[in-house]
């Protein structure tokens, strides 16, 4: 596979469940990102990882827990979510930590529904 | 981070040229202008990037006037498959991109 892949593509979970979203990039990039896109809202940057180290956490609630075991994989662990957390979760990567000249490559996203 | 303003929506017909203008009055000297395209339930996709004057690739052209306070994305001869949301972003240095609400382009037959 090439590019940025995300699994699962769709996920329905209850508020007491624990689930994980997975992102994998096959581009040899060193920076990876998690975004949240709620209905009719702009993309919100959640987390930034550079060479496996978290460099940014945009005041995301602790019920979202990221993990980056290596530069190619990124996880988002979910627990005790709320219905308002239902959204499209997008993973992205870039060659180096994002600068204005760098292109960011996005995955297809995971459509999450919290019941 | 320079704030951008673009129309909420635009309508066009197949075969027409579409120009989407983005205002960024507070653009900084080192800022680049980047446009992304997003289809429903998919991640955004890079279209084009520029710093000044004109940039052209196989998908679009980007026109940037001398004062760089605005930019125009030009899509030649659009088709139905160009229906999407188009985002204009301005950033420089080690700054994360901020996506606004974008412009929803609807192409009709």
């Amino acid at each position: 596979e090439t590019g940025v892949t995300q699994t699962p593509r769709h996920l329905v979970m209850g508020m007491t469940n624990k689930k994980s979203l997975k992102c994998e990039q096959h581009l040899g990039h060193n920076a990876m990102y998690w975004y949240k896109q709620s209905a009719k809202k702009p993309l919100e940057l959640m987390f930034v990882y550079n060479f496996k180290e978290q460099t940014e956490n945009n005041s995301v609630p602790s019920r979202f827990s990221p993990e980056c075991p290596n530069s190619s994989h990124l996880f988002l662990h979910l627990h005790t979510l709320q219905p308002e957390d239902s959204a499209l979760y997008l993973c992205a990567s870039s060659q180096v930590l994002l600068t204005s000249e760098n292109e960011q490559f996005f995955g297809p996203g995971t459509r999450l529904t919290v019941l | 981070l320079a704030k951008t303003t673009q129309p909420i929506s635009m309508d066009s017909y197949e075969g027409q040229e579409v120009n989407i203008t983005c205002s960024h009055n507070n653009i900084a000297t080192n800022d680049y202008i980047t446009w992304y395209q997003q289809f429903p339930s998919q991640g955004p996709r890079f279209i084009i990037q520029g710093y000044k004057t004109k940039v052209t690739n196989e998908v679009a052209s980007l026109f940037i006037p001398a004062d760089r306070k605005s930019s125009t994305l030009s899509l030649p001869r659009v088709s139905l498959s160009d229906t999407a949301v188009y985002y204009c972003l301005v950033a420089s240095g080690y700054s994360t991109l901020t996506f606004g609400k974008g412009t929803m382009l609807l192409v009709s037959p």
Side-chain angles (χ1 to χ4, degrees):
Chain A
E1 290 198 59
T2 59
V4 181
T5 58
Q6 290 186 243
T7 55
R9 293 295 310 276
H10 301 273
L11 178 63
V12 179
M13 59 186 289
M15 289 188 285
T16 58
N17 291 156
K18 289 184 179 181
K19 297 288 184 182
S20 295
L21 309 185
K22 179 183 176 181
C23 174
E24 184 174 0
Q25 57 96 359
H26 311 268
L27 302 168
H29 289 169
N30 296 309
M32 297 187 76
Y33 315 82
W34 278 117
Y35 286 86
K36 173 185 177 182
Q37 187 172 36
S38 304
K40 299 183 179 180
K41 287 186 178 180
L43 273 76
E44 302 171 54
L45 180 65
M46 300 175 72
F47 301 104
V48 179
Y49 277 84
N50 187 38
F51 288 97
K52 304 186 299 180
E53 298 298 320
Q54 184 174 314
T55 61
E56 192 162 337
N57 175 341
N58 278 358
S59 303
V60 180
S62 59
R63 57 185 184 270
F64 295 92
S65 176
E67 178 189 1
C68 189
N70 55 61
S71 293
S72 299
H73 294 85
L74 187 63
F75 295 89
L76 188 62
H77 304 299
L78 316 170
H79 62 98
T80 58
L81 295 192
Q82 304 298 313
E84 58 264 30
D85 296 322
S86 298
L88 180 67
Y89 288 85
L90 292 159
C91 172
S93 71
S94 60
Q95 179 63 50
V96 295
L97 188 62
L98 199 67
T99 67
S100 55
E101 303 95 290
N102 283 335
E103 179 180 346
Q104 200 167 173
F105 293 79
F106 285 82
T110 294
R111 173 67 63 186
L112 174 67
T113 302
V114 182
L115 301 177
Chain B
L1 202 64
K3 180 180 177 180
T4 59
T5 303
Q6 45 183 131
I8 295 175
S9 64
M10 293 183 68
D11 296 321
S12 182
Y13 292 97
E14 283 188 292
Q16 289 188 335
E17 177 184 80
V18 172
N19 296 308
I20 306 175
T21 297
C22 178
S23 298
H24 27 80
N25 293 318
N26 298 323
I27 190 168
T29 303
N30 296 328
D31 284 344
Y32 278 73
I33 302 159
T34 309
W35 286 80
Y36 281 79
Q37 173 193 56
Q38 185 179 23
F39 298 114
S41 296
Q42 293 186 29
R45 183 176 71 102
F46 174 92
I47 300 176
I48 197 166
Q49 183 181 74
Y51 182 79
K52 62 180 180 180
T53 62
K54 176 185 176 182
V55 179
T56 298
N57 61 23
E58 64 278 5
V59 177
S61 294
L62 179 60
F63 298 92
I64 306 169
D67 65 6
R68 304 202 326 123
K69 293 184 181 298
S70 67
S71 59
T72 299
L73 174 72
S74 181
L75 305 173
R77 297 179 297 282
V78 294
S79 63
L80 297 177
S81 62
D82 291 317
T83 293
V85 178
Y86 292 83
Y87 297 97
C88 164
L89 296 93
V90 174
S92 63
Y94 286 100
S95 60
T96 51
L97 297 180
T98 300
F99 285 78
K101 295 184 177 180
T103 297
M104 176 65 219
L105 172 65
L106 176 62
V107 180
S108 301

